[in-house]
Amino acid sequence: MPSPVSADRSAAQPPGRGSVEALITQTRRLKGDMAAVRRDTRNDGSDPEERWQRALYDLALHQLDDLDAHLAQLRDGPVPAEAEPAEAPAARPAPAGPSRGSLLSRVGSAEWNFLTDEASWSGELYEILGRDPAAPALTLDELPSLVLDEDRPKLTAMVTDCLVDARPIDGEFRVVRPDGSARTVHMMGEPVLGPDGGTTSMWAVLRDVSELRRHRRTVRDSHDSLQHHRRRAQTEHRLVAELQEAVLPPWRGSLRLPHQGPRTLDLAAHYLPATAGPRIGGDWYDALELADGATLLSVGDLTGHGVAVTSGMAMLLGAVRGMAMAGTRPGELLTMLNQLLDATVQPALGSAVCCRYRPEDRTLVWAQAGHPAPLMYRDGTGRALNAPAGVLLGATTGADYGQAEVTLEPGDLVLLHTDGLVPGHDSTSAVDRLLGLAPRFGAVRTAQDCVRTVVEEFGGAEREDDACVLVARVTG
């Protein structure tokens, strides 16, 4: 059984070379993994969150580099100190600093002897402070001359606590080198006590942490920028949602138009928001009883997202309602909408389909502007109506929009929708998927049931854009 003395001596020994080598291997493996993750992040400067992540990766790699170098120094042992001049203090030689290659000259050491009023610096400390190695080391009274005015009280307090109360030193201050550049130095040290308990000298290790602090400032600034971006995005999203809520029709569930008369349309609609982030676009749906007893049906989409797009959608929808109430026919209405977009200061593109339903003869007159045609379902089958000519709103000046007519029968369904209702499909395959719902539509009795079928089929899918669906069922 080992004696207490041998046990204490064994506990005081540094970790074995093999243990340190294993730590070095683990550190370098972690550095490689971190570097690989960092390379996979974007660096186009467009996303504040990506910039913040890259700053964190840079900081982590910087610290892992330092850990690797420190472990290598521990494994290899201190570099032999150069021969000291004869007048160097003998009480406690300054600790030998690491080699220039091991820590990139970022760590130096010093000792101040209070009995002889002499100072001893390692070569690395001269390099950190930008001092001439041939010049004498500065005493503690002279050291503040290198420190920025606002940091001198901090250094003075640390030194005083060490000398008077024998407290360890651990703090940072900024120094100005002879070339005018500023460096941030982290100093860690402790007092050396004499036989009478008084402080005879002080030694310290000083590390240049300027790059580390720069990385941390970058992280902090990136984090602040990200938080500002998030608050701004949340505010914009709330404004857009409130504006959309105010503009879209107030009715929910089902609606019958016109309110009087036996021949009415059973109506239902639904708005499906994008699932890829808080993106609210310019999609709309509308149903409105007109002054002559006809019913206006419309859906549309103004390209883009955000406040400007939603306010543009509100402008278009207001214009549609006003012109329809004035008796403007669908083709002429779209022509005027195109002129309106062409006259706006902010260029925009949009698509729309406008329908005017006359209940007395069950005629649907409609026009489209670069938009999917209405789908009509009858007797368990469906088809897309033949679309009249019409380009995207805002695409060209002076465009004309044609009209088409179709006579509906009791029980017929008309479905209007915007792009994106069927995620992951182009317009042709999306129409095929919607037409495939014809047998299920034939088995239900209300427009609301049809909309519910659409939402059950496509509402749960991930979608990058919002979408609208409007169903009208002829009841008489």
Side-chain angles (χ1 to χ4, degrees):
M1 180 175 181
S3 67
V5 173
S6 63
D8 289 344
R9 183 178 299 144
S10 174
Q13 295 298 315
R17 184 184 181 92
S19 300
V20 177
E21 196 71 50
L23 289 173
I24 292 174
T25 300
Q26 294 176 11
T27 300
R28 291 177 179 174
R29 183 182 300 116
L30 181 58
K31 281 169 56 181
D33 294 341
M34 185 67 69
V37 174
R38 181 184 178 278
R39 285 194 299 271
D40 290 339
T41 60
R42 296 186 306 175
N43 192 25
D44 57 5
S46 61
D47 189 342
E49 188 164 9
E50 293 287 347
R51 295 197 300 270
W52 183 42
Q53 289 177 346
R54 286 185 65 85
L56 289 175
Y57 292 145
D58 288 341
L59 176 60
L61 286 170
H62 182 80
Q63 293 176 322
L64 288 171
D65 282 338
D66 284 348
L67 177 60
D68 186 11
H70 280 295
L71 289 172
Q73 183 70 19
L74 181 62
R75 177 195 62 192
D76 300 335
V79 176
E82 298 177 356
E84 295 177 294
E87 65 271 20
R92 180 187 174 101
S99 68
R100 178 175 300 181
S102 63
L103 289 178
L104 303 179
S105 303
R106 289 197 299 267
V107 178
S109 58
E111 182 173 359
W112 289 275
N113 191 310
F114 304 131
L115 299 179
T116 63
D117 198 27
E118 292 177 317
S120 177
W121 288 4
S122 70
E124 290 77 17
L125 183 54
Y126 278 97
E127 185 171 347
I128 290 172
L129 300 180
R131 304 284 293 178
D132 182 359
L138 299 182
T139 66
L140 282 179
D141 290 334
E142 297 169 330
L143 185 61
S145 65
L146 304 180
V147 181
L148 288 177
D149 292 343
E150 54 265 38
D151 288 357
R152 286 178 185 172
K154 186 187 306 182
L155 175 61
T156 300
M158 289 192 298
V159 172
T160 301
D161 289 343
C162 182
L163 298 182
V164 176
D165 300 325
R167 294 181 184 177
I169 288 178
D170 188 353
E172 292 182 6
F173 51 87
R174 291 165 296 171
V175 299
V176 179
R177 293 155 56 106
D179 62 4
S181 63
R183 308 297 292 175
T184 302
V185 176
H186 181 210
M187 184 164 73
M188 296 182 65
E190 59 185 41
V192 177
L193 304 181
D196 61 353
T199 303
T200 61
S201 64
M202 187 186 81
W203 69 275
V205 174
L206 296 94
R207 182 186 180 198
D208 183 349
V209 294
S210 304
E211 291 301 312
L212 180 60
R213 295 299 168 260
R214 184 181 65 82
H215 281 293
R216 287 183 178 174
R217 283 195 300 271
T218 300
V219 170
R220 184 178 63 250
D221 292 345
S222 297
H223 182 266
D224 292 344
S225 175
L226 175 63
Q227 294 290 29
H228 174 73
H229 176 79
R230 284 177 172 170
R231 288 193 295 269
R232 179 177 177 181
Q234 290 169 354
T235 300
E236 179 176 327
H237 183 267
R238 184 178 66 253
L239 291 174
V240 170
E242 292 174 354
L243 178 59
Q244 185 189 63
E245 183 73 15
V247 171
L248 290 180
W251 52 275
R252 298 292 184 268
S254 60
L255 177 71
R256 286 182 178 268
L257 293 179
H259 295 293
Q260 303 295 328
R263 296 184 175 183
T264 62
L265 292 178
D266 175 24
L267 301 167
H270 192 78
Y271 170 82
L272 294 94
T275 57
R279 293 152 51 92
I280 296 180
D283 287 50
W284 86 78
Y285 64 86
D286 197 21
L288 181 67
E289 182 177 355
L290 303 178
D292 60 358
T295 297
L296 168 73
L297 305 176
S298 72
V299 296
D301 179 14
L302 195 62
T303 57
H305 302 86
V307 174
V309 171
T310 306
S311 61
M313 177 268 286
M315 175 191 69
L316 288 183
L317 185 52
V320 169
R321 290 169 174 170
M323 288 187 286
M325 288 296 291
T328 307
R329 291 169 59 85
E332 185 181 0
L333 188 152
L334 291 182
T335 299
M336 294 182 177
L337 279 187
N338 184 65
Q339 294 174 357
L340 178 62
L341 271 187
D342 189 49
T344 57
V345 176
Q346 185 69 30
L349 291 175
S351 67
V353 58
C354 291
C355 307
R356 188 182 183 93
Y357 177 71
R358 298 194 303 261
E360 61 271 14
D361 56 5
R362 302 192 188 93
T363 299
L364 187 75
V365 180
W366 67 283
Q368 63 84 29
H371 200 89
L375 307 181
M376 189 183 75
Y377 299 82
R378 178 181 293 171
D379 299 330
T381 62
R383 67 180 179 90
L385 299 181
N386 294 326
V391 299
L392 283 171
L393 298 172
T396 182
T397 301
D400 290 323
Y401 295 85
Q403 287 187 166
E405 291 189 11
V406 61
T407 300
L408 303 179
E409 298 178 1
D412 284 353
L413 288 175
V414 175
L415 185 148
L416 310 180
H417 68 96
T418 60
D419 284 331
L421 179 61
V422 185
H425 292 73
D426 58 27
S427 57
T428 300
S429 60
V431 168
D432 291 340
R433 291 285 304 276
L434 289 168
L435 292 178
L437 297 178
R440 296 174 63 181
F441 287 168
V444 299
R445 305 183 63 178
T446 68
Q448 182 64 37
D449 289 335
C450 293
V451 168
R452 189 176 295 112
T453 299
V454 173
V455 174
E456 289 174 354
E457 186 71 19
F458 307 116
E462 293 289 327
R463 65 183 67 250
E464 296 183 357
D465 203 357
D466 50 355
C468 294
V469 58
L470 172 64
V471 173
R473 181 173 180 270
V474 182
T475 61

